[in-house]
Amino acid sequence: MPALSAPTAPYTKRDFEGQTVLIDIWGTWCGPCIRAMPHLHEAYRTHGGEDFTILSVALRDTRKAVKQFRAHKWEMPWDHAFVPKGSDLQKKLRDRFDIRGLPATILVGPDGQILRVHRGVGSGKKMARAISEVLAQDPGSENAPSEGADSEDTSGQESNSSL
């Protein structure tokens, strides 16, 4: 995915190897996305570092709008990708991750397995709880998510996928 600040230097899976990553698909124009910001910031303050990060992916937006949003509304001190409005990449992303609306958050484990998916209103709070639960688990414990762990969205549907 193209980086917000340097479109010719895209993010790849390699950039996040060994980390738990929250992929936050959002837009500056999206009310529920903005209401999720306090939860994302708290998760990042609490867990951000070597083992956890966030990659926000702006959809149906402009680079200028995202930069202004970050400068004047929410800092969002993590990685940012930008998918141009109407691009083939936007369609591929929407199809691959079944994005029907925003926000959509996808929690990916260090092994690349999708651990949780949340969509829509309230997804920020639900995902913040999920991040705390996943990161608090001892990898050797019986409660730790295993490869192929179930994911859920706000409609209660389960999914299992790999990034």
Side-chain angles (χ1 to χ4, degrees), residues 47-124:
H47 304 291
E50 258 184 63
D51 296 331
F52 173 76
T53 194
I54 297 174
L55 173 64
S56 285
V57 180
L59 282 185
R60 294 176 37 209
D61 238 314
T62 65
R63 286 182 193 282
K64 182 179 179 181
V66 174
K67 288 177 182 181
Q68 287 179 339
F69 182 90
R70 292 184 62 211
H72 302 291
K73 295 187 180 176
W74 287 97
E75 181 184 5
M76 301 173 74
W78 48 78
D79 295 317
H80 291 268
F82 178 80
V83 177
K85 212 186 293 188
S87 68
D88 287 341
L89 181 57
Q90 180 179 341
K91 183 177 177 0
K92 286 179 189 174
L93 186 66
R94 291 177 70 99
D95 290 346
R96 173 134 189 220
F97 296 108
D98 191 28
I99 299 169
R100 300 168 284 212
L102 300 182
T105 54
I106 304 163
L107 188 62
V108 182
D111 60 357
Q113 290 295 310
I114 293 176
L115 304 174
R116 305 271 169 56
V117 174
H118 292 284
R119 296 177 173 93
V121 176
S123 63

Side-chain angles (χ1 to χ4, degrees), residues 5 10-11 16 43-44 47 85 87 101 104 109 118 120 122 125 141 151 161:
S5 60
Y11 289 107
F16 303 103
Y44 190 76
H47 304 291
K85 212 186 293 188
S87 68
H118 292 284
K125 188 173 186 177
S141 80
S151 302
S161 188

